[in-house]
Amino acid sequence: MGRAVTVATCALNQWALDFEGNLERIVRSIAIARSKGARYRLGPELEICGYGCSDHYYESDTLLHSFQVLEKLLESPATQDIICDVGMPVLHRNVRYNCRVIFLNKKILLIRPKIALANAGNYRELRWFTPWSKARHVEEYFLPRIIQEVTGQETVPFGDAVLATKDTCLGAEMCEELWTPNSPHIDMGLDGVEIFTNSSGSHHVLRKAHTRVDLVNSATAKNGGIYIFANQKGCDGDRLYYDGCAMISMNGETVAQGSQFSLDDVEVLVATLDLEDVRSYRAEISSRNLAASKANPYPRVKVNFALSCPDDVAVPTCMPIQWRYHSPEEEISLGPACWLWDYLRRSKQAGFLLPLSGGIDSSATACIVYSMCHQVCLAVKNGNADVLADARRIVHDETYIPEDPREFCKRVFTTCYMASENSSQDTCHRAKLLAEQIGSYHINLNIDVAVKAVVGIFSMVTGRTPRFSVYGGSSRESLALQNVQARIRMVLAYLFAQLTLWARGMPGGLLVLGSANVDESLRGYLTKYDCSSADINPIGGISKTDLKNFIQYCIENFQLTALRSIMSAPPTAELEPLVDGQVAQTDEADMGMTYAELSIYGKLRKIAKAGPYSMFCKLINMWKEVCTPREVASKVKHFFRMYSVNRHKMTTLTPSYHAENYSPDDNRFDLRPFLYNTTWSWQFRCIDKQVSKLEKKEGISPVEDVD
């Protein structure tokens, strides 16, 4: 009687619609699992076509090519004598399902459709798939001819069933099903399933990892069992970064941990575990056994195969380990860096260009690129041939070996300080010093000639010349003059991105990086089509507070001393004239709110789903020690006015790394209007009435207008 089962899970860097690359990575992971003695291999959700296919799921091509890849997998020698569990879309009776296809030795054992679909936040699975609603029910699925010719099967089981091997019983969950209140592993466990599997497409959000790990461990803490978790990793063509974290857990404790951030395209975890540990764990939970005795049975697909060996008494098994979590600052350093590397190598560009202002946001973006260079050098040092090949292709040198992050940074990263007459020497010096310390190719240029030319055209046509407010101009004139500077910087950024390498006698072009943080985007404190308009933005989902902490992390871990003066300087756009050579404009004064306040507004607006009135009600308690209800009302009104006035800017927001659940990204995550009634008359009147009631209760004389 076998006791020790050897199972494998993996994290794969799949790419939407890259069927050839996806097939290669799947085969490689199966081969690694087999070489380590695994008898079962689990892969990520929809790994054959890539998770992020979006509306390509509607296309029959996606289904056809997925089955073509499945045909190759069934025929591959690597898939023999190991149960392979792969993910792909399947059309059953003209309904599209997100499925696991489980096969062994050229025979499909079961097609298991997803029961609970992810349909919130970044996920739109109900747009493309239908959940399987027939609990514990199996139907016949008629295989396509190309698969019949390989397997010799005309039909296979399709539905909510489990696998019964010679030595144990396995049941599948898929991503969202782990997060639902009544997860399938509960009923499967009561019906005697000992091994649970979960194939996921779970993306990175700051501070999220512990939630996922707790869910996996708790799945078997009450009910006993082995839980195997696989996940997508990398950038598969969108804003999300899938952060791996493949893991294996038993009886509520982690026994194998995969990396959360890695440049390895294929990562395989293998563990050998004792089934008797599951059985003895369950034996003393009388309440569980009482419930199990009344459980409704699952259809069982019998498999003439064992996950263990007959004589395995002396086989060593895995022991529990302590999960190692990254700090938020480490997550910022690693997650966006890995995302940038995937975007760079898959876009086949030669590097990045960043308008470096000498402020916190652009400096944090530069530090993320520098961290990427560190990760590339480390991966090459550790023998990653894929990363080495990509690096050589990017720098157009077949003999190159990236060993020094600063030297590699010089090859792939160009920074550009775009001065105007409103720029200070301090920011110019800070940008230059940071560029020297990270090793980027740095350019200093002045935009005044271009600004004067554009304003000159306007003056020639209209006969009028706008002035800054400090020189007697109106706020409209001043804003227009600020926006001209910002937009010219965007035009110049793209010009230099296209031609800088050409001017240096080098091939290729550069991707333009944006550096607007999530709080500024929420408030709309940016110029439409300025330097916030870029190809991608690695910090667009990160708060100013977290970026400051990340800067401190870089000072300590990368020894970037130039960041100290950047940290201490007040944030400023430097778009208005200097006063006595000093910056007079600051971001928080311009916005009429602090970055700390903005972060709170963002979380209440998006995560707590608070409109103006609900936000006011929550904040009068949160801020009762520092603000009167009237002051809170004024702040809330000002935020919602500015948010709604500027919401249109989100329609052109640069695609950003998704790192916060209060991101204002209009393109897929935060679906709201962009033309508002900015008076919010009904909502603000409700706030006014409530303020009057509170003030009357406190004996404060009523005031005509709260704002």
Side-chain angles (χ1 to χ4, degrees):
M1 180 177 178
R3 300 169 51 121
V5 295
T6 304
V7 294
T9 184
C10 57
L12 302 184
N13 196 332
Q14 303 299 75
W15 190 8
L17 302 177
D18 179 26
F19 292 97
E20 190 167 358
N22 292 348
L23 170 61
E24 186 275 329
R25 287 180 284 271
I26 293 169
V27 171
R28 204 193 320 172
S29 70
I30 295 170
I32 293 171
R34 277 188 66 203
S35 70
K36 294 184 176 181
R39 308 272 283 174
Y40 169 87
R41 174 268 182 198
L42 175 71
E45 186 174 12
L46 293 166
E47 61 189 304
I48 284 179
C49 57
Y51 184 83
C53 294
S54 299
D55 281 1
H56 289 288
Y57 286 122
Y58 292 137
E59 300 167 3
S60 61
D61 283 15
T62 305
L63 297 168
L64 169 65
H65 299 325
S66 294
F67 271 110
Q68 289 171 335
V69 170
L70 179 62
E71 177 192 14
K72 297 289 187 185
L73 288 170
L74 287 163
E75 293 176 332
S76 172
T79 64
Q80 304 310 300
D81 297 321
I82 181 172
I83 296 177
C84 299
D85 189 335
V86 299
M88 60 179 277
V90 177
L91 189 69
H92 175 57
R93 298 181 182 177
N94 290 345
V95 179
R96 279 177 178 77
Y97 295 97
N98 177 350
C99 293
R100 303 305 300 173
V101 179
I102 308 171
F103 62 91
L104 169 67
N105 293 335
K106 297 187 179 181
K107 299 290 183 183
I108 294 177
L109 304 173
L110 172 68
I111 300 178
R112 200 281 199 178
K114 194 171 183 178
I115 295 169
L117 299 183
N119 208 59
N122 289 292
Y123 297 98
R124 299 284 182 276
E125 289 181 11
L126 278 172
R127 180 179 174 93
W128 310 298
F129 301 113
T130 300
W132 182 255
S133 57
K134 302 172 185 178
R136 299 177 178 83
H137 178 76
V138 173
E139 297 174 352
E140 280 190 318
Y141 177 77
F142 286 81
L143 292 169
R145 279 176 293 179
I146 61 170
I147 304 300
Q148 289 184 26
E149 290 170 1
V150 178
T151 67
Q153 300 166 291
E154 185 179 76
T155 65
V156 295
F158 185 103
D160 186 20
V162 297
L163 298 181
T165 65
K166 288 182 175 182
D167 47 3
T168 187
C169 189
L170 296 89
E173 284 190 329
M174 295 174 67
C175 199
E176 180 72 10
E177 294 168 10
L178 173 63
W179 301 72
T180 57
N182 189 21
S183 295
H185 68 257
I186 299 170
D187 288 333
M188 288 191 295
L190 293 176
D191 190 36
V193 172
E194 295 178 325
I195 301 176
F196 311 100
T197 68
N198 188 302
S199 52
S200 279
S202 183
H203 69 283
H204 173 239
V205 173
L206 293 176
R207 305 172 179 87
K208 174 187 172 183
H210 71 91
T211 304
R212 187 192 296 145
V213 173
D214 288 348
L215 281 170
V216 169
N217 284 334
S218 65
T220 57
K222 290 190 293 185
N223 206 2
I226 297 166
Y227 203 100
I228 310 170
F229 178 85
N231 195 20
Q232 165 98 346
K233 70 189 300 189
C235 167
D236 77 341
D238 209 336
R239 295 160 177 79
L240 303 183
Y241 178 79
Y242 300 93
D243 58 335
C245 285
M247 65 179 292
I248 301 173
S249 172
M250 184 172 72
N251 298 339
E253 294 184 290
T254 303
V255 295
Q257 173 186 353
S259 64
Q260 186 173 10
F261 307 106
S262 165
L263 299 188
D264 296 334
D265 282 347
V266 176
E267 182 180 11
V268 179
L269 285 185
V270 176
T272 300
L273 302 163
D274 192 339
L275 291 172
E276 291 304 315
D277 287 340
V278 174
R279 293 158 188 165
S280 61
Y281 184 89
R282 288 177 170 179
E284 64 177 3
I285 310 175
S286 59
S287 57
R288 179 257 167 208
N289 297 333
L290 182 62
S293 68
K294 298 180 285 186
N296 293 323
Y298 276 79
R300 274 168 159 74
V301 176
K302 294 180 181 179
V303 184
N304 188 25
F305 188 76
L307 302 189
S308 60
C309 298
D311 186 15
D312 58 5
V313 176
V315 174
T317 56
C318 298
M319 301 301 292
I321 61 172
Q322 188 69 37
W323 190 280
R324 195 273 182 188
Y325 294 99
H326 293 283
S327 69
E329 295 76 31
E330 287 177 311
E331 291 185 89
I332 295 170
S333 176
L334 297 171
C338 294
W339 182 76
L340 282 180
W341 177 246
D342 279 347
Y343 203 99
L344 176 60
R345 67 193 181 106
R346 287 176 170 170
S347 65
K348 293 184 166 51
Q349 298 301 299
F352 299 111
L353 181 138
L354 171 69
L356 185 61
S357 69
I360 285 177
D361 294 335
S362 63
S363 297
T365 305
C367 290
I368 289 171
V369 177
Y370 184 56
S371 176
M372 180 200 80
C373 295
H374 266 271
Q375 297 309 306
V376 168
C377 292
L378 181 62
V380 170
K381 182 180 178 181
N382 291 335
N384 190 317
D386 293 332
V387 172
L388 178 59
D390 285 329
R392 287 174 168 173
R393 181 179 48 78
I394 289 167
V395 303
H396 298 276
D397 184 346
E398 289 303 314
T399 63
Y400 176 66
I401 299 176
E403 296 175 319
D404 176 18
R406 293 185 74 255
E407 188 274 334
F408 184 56
C409 195
K410 175 76 76 175
R411 290 175 178 254
V412 300
F413 190 31
T414 298
T415 50
C416 184
Y417 182 81
M418 302 184 189
S420 76
E421 61 185 14
N422 302 321
S423 302
S424 67
Q425 284 300 311
D426 288 342
T427 53
C428 179
H429 176 72
R430 290 198 292 265
K432 183 174 182 291
L433 186 58
L434 178 60
E436 288 174 356
Q437 291 187 358
I438 64 175
S440 65
Y441 180 82
H442 190 61
I443 299 170
N444 270 315
L445 61 87
N446 192 289
I447 67 172
D448 287 337
V449 175
V451 173
K452 288 173 182 175
V454 172
V455 175
I457 293 171
F458 177 83
S459 299
M460 183 173 61
V461 172
T462 64
R464 302 193 65 183
T465 301
R467 295 175 297 171
F468 284 104
S469 54
V470 295
Y471 300 140
S474 65
S475 59
R476 179 170 292 277
E477 293 171 68
S478 186
L479 184 60
L481 289 173
Q482 293 180 60
N483 288 343
V484 165
Q485 297 169 72
R487 289 182 174 124
I488 281 174
R489 285 182 171 130
M490 184 272 288
V491 173
L492 286 172
Y494 274 96
L495 178 65
F496 276 82
Q498 288 179 299
L499 295 179
T500 291
L501 295 182
W502 168 80
R504 296 167 60 191
M506 300 164 63
L510 304 174
L511 293 163
V512 179
L513 296 181
S515 57
N517 64 65
V518 70
D519 298 325
E520 288 175 347
S521 298
L522 174 66
R523 164 61 172 74
Y525 186 65
L526 52 94
T527 301
K528 205 173 185 180
Y529 306 116
D530 71 345
C531 280
S532 62
S533 298
D535 293 313
I536 49 175
N537 179 3
I539 68 163
I542 305 174
S543 72
K544 192 80 163 189
T545 303
D546 281 334
L547 287 175
K548 288 180 179 178
N549 293 336
F550 169 61
I551 290 288
Q552 185 61 44
Y553 169 87
C554 291
I555 294 172
E556 296 168 3
N557 289 271
F558 294 147
Q559 288 75 51
L560 299 176
T561 56
L563 295 172
R564 290 199 179 103
S565 59
I566 292 169
M567 272 278 285
S568 60
T572 174
E574 290 195 329
L575 295 173
E576 293 187 20
L578 302 174
V579 176
D580 297 327
Q582 299 299 313
V583 172
Q585 177 191 35
T586 62
D587 291 350
E588 292 186 331
D590 273 5
M591 292 191 299
M593 57 192 76
T594 66
Y595 282 107
E597 289 171 343
L598 257 176
S599 184
I600 293 171
Y601 296 147
K603 289 170 183 172
L604 290 176
R605 181 198 69 96
K606 178 65 179 176
I607 299 173
K609 285 103 180 153
Y613 181 73
S614 293
M615 187 179 291
F616 165 77
C617 292
K618 290 179 181 294
L619 287 176
I620 56 174
N621 289 308
M622 288 175 61
W623 291 350
K624 62 184 178 182
E625 302 298 329
V626 292
C627 293
T628 66
R630 183 171 295 277
E631 290 169 335
V632 172
S634 179
K635 287 176 179 288
V636 169
K637 287 181 175 184
H638 180 60
F639 165 71
F640 272 97
R641 282 199 198 96
M642 294 300 100
Y643 160 76
S644 56
V645 163
N646 291 300
R647 179 65 187 175
H648 66 95
K649 296 177 183 178
M650 297 305 98
T651 62
T652 62
L653 196 67
T654 294
S656 302
Y657 180 96
H658 180 88
E660 281 284 5
N661 282 329
Y662 69 93
S663 167
D665 179 9
D666 172 75
N667 294 286
R668 75 176 282 168
F669 181 70
D670 192 33
L671 306 181
R672 301 180 191 234
F674 59 87
L675 178 62
Y676 278 94
N677 178 349
T678 59
T679 65
W680 299 86
S681 54
W682 188 282
Q683 295 93 327
F684 287 1
R685 193 157 54 245
C686 288
I687 293 175
D688 292 346
K689 289 179 180 177
Q690 191 61 44
V691 170
S692 297
K693 286 182 183 178
L694 290 169
E695 289 183 338
K696 187 176 181 180
K697 188 176 179 180
E698 295 294 326
I700 301 172
S701 300
V703 179
E704 287 264 330
D705 188 1
V706 170
D707 212 7

